[in-house]
Amino acid sequence: MTTQEKDPKLQLKLLVDQHSNRVLFAEAGKEALDFLLGFLRIPLGLVVHLLTGEQIPGSLTSIYSSIQNLDESYLMLSDRDVLLKPRLPSVSLLLLEPDSPALATPPPKRYYRCSGTNHPCRGNPIYMTNVGGMPCPNCRLPMVTEMAFLEKPKADSGKSGYVKGPITYLVMDDLSVMPMSTISAIALLKKFQLKDLSMLCEMTVEFGKKESLELLKASLQSTTVLTDVFISKPRVDIDRLQTT
Ligand SMILES: [Zn+2]
């Protein structure tokens, strides 16, 4: 496995106003936008876990450390990670936690019935269980005959993403999103009332796990997320592929 596969990277093309040192907007492909939208599927407990050691506004950290410290004798849970590291198949986790078990396909569920040879089940058993060997409520025979369960095909497993490609989307500094079109870009430039268009520069940034965590953190506490992550704290390890 190459380094790139281990630490997958996504791209954003930023339009930066060098005069005010802020990102006006970014162009994002499907993958980058799916990543950002995937924030909405990350359970809060996992957010606190991912941002361990960071200042998280509000009181979530307190609830989190309370359940961490609560004596086992008070818990009905056999595994408190249900609260501390809850999982959902969010596309964001591909970058934030590439090894997350949420991304592994769960084992198929198994179902059983009785053999259907005894009265009153003979030929027509009606009960089914997911606990193999349980006595059939009708004929009392152990329910051990495995059945094939046909699941409805899933339209979105959470891995294939949320928006259609190959479309370019426009992401504002506060992470509001719309489809990109020439008209909307021009309208935006007008809206920003830029006096000096020569101060605009286009910058392509790549982001991996580290920057993804910063984006997640900034999305919780800022309305200038892209500026905060990519401009205000210029970092040597963010590849600037091109600056024009
Ligand atoms: Zn039966």
Side-chain angles (χ1 to χ4, degrees):
M1 188 181 268
T2 64
T3 322
Q4 208 181 353
E5 280 169 332
K6 261 188 190 166
D7 186 15
K9 294 209 167 188
L10 295 176
Q11 263 192 20
L12 282 175
K13 197 197 265 182
L14 309 178
L15 187 68
V16 182
D17 177 21
Q18 292 172 299
H19 181 69
S20 59
N21 231 7
R22 64 183 171 147
V23 175
L24 300 184
F25 56 81
E27 286 177 39
K30 170 183 162 53
E31 285 76 21
L33 193 65
D34 279 340
F35 166 79
L36 291 172
L37 294 175
F39 283 178
L40 299 175
R41 289 190 86 177
I42 307 177
L44 288 174
L46 188 58
V47 169
V48 180
H49 165 68
L50 289 169
L51 298 178
T52 301
E54 303 275 355
Q55 285 279 337
I56 302 172
S59 310
L60 281 175
T61 317
S62 313
I63 318 179
Y64 194 87
S65 53
S66 302
I67 198 74
Q68 261 179 326
N69 299 326
L70 194 65
D71 191 87
E72 215 162 282
S73 58
Y74 294 102
L75 291 178
M76 288 172 70
L77 296 166
S78 57
D79 180 5
R80 64 183 90 197
D81 277 356
V82 169
L83 295 169
L84 298 176
K85 293 177 198 167
R87 307 286 167 175
L88 264 188
S90 165
V91 165
S92 299
L93 295 184
L94 289 167
L95 257 190
L96 291 164
E97 264 209 326
D99 303 324
S100 167
L103 305 169
T105 313
K109 290 194 178 101
R110 305 178 73 169
Y111 297 96
Y112 307 89
R113 59 169 170 82
C114 68
S115 58
T117 49
N118 270 22
H119 182 78
C121 286
R122 193 179 302 154
N124 187 28
I126 54 168
Y127 288 104
M128 185 172 91
T129 176
N130 57 357
V131 184
M134 186 184 263
C136 170
N138 255 356
C139 67
R140 309 309 301 168
L141 284 179
M143 300 167 78
V144 289
T145 304
E146 189 160 0
M147 302 173 75
F149 183 70
L150 299 179
E151 218 159 337
K152 186 183 170 189
K154 281 179 189 156
D156 168 26
S157 66
K159 289 181 192 176
S160 49
Y162 313 114
V163 291
K164 289 184 181 172
I167 297 168
T168 303
Y169 295 89
L170 198 134
V171 182
M172 306 302 294
D173 207 7
D174 67 356
L175 300 188
S176 50
V177 166
M178 62 196 92
M180 178 91 185
S181 75
T182 318
I183 295 169
S184 57
I186 290 171
L188 277 168
L189 286 178
K190 271 190 184 164
K191 193 187 119 188
F192 287 118
Q193 297 184 318
L194 297 170
K195 299 221 165 61
D196 187 0
L197 290 180
S198 69
M199 293 302 281
L200 290 183
C201 89
E202 206 176 81
M203 190 168 103
T204 302
V205 289
E206 274 196 341
F207 57 99
K209 184 174 177 179
K210 209 167 169 184
E211 299 80 20
S212 300
L213 280 171
E214 287 179 12
L215 283 167
L216 176 63
K217 189 185 163 203
S219 73
L220 291 168
Q221 53 193 28
S222 166
T223 52
T224 54
V225 174
L226 301 176
T227 299
D228 293 356
V229 173
F230 296 113
I231 307 295
S232 300
K233 293 186 288 181
R235 306 158 54 108
V236 280
D237 55 345
I238 293 176
D239 300 324
R240 297 197 174 158
L241 297 182
Q242 48 166 326
T243 307
T244 48

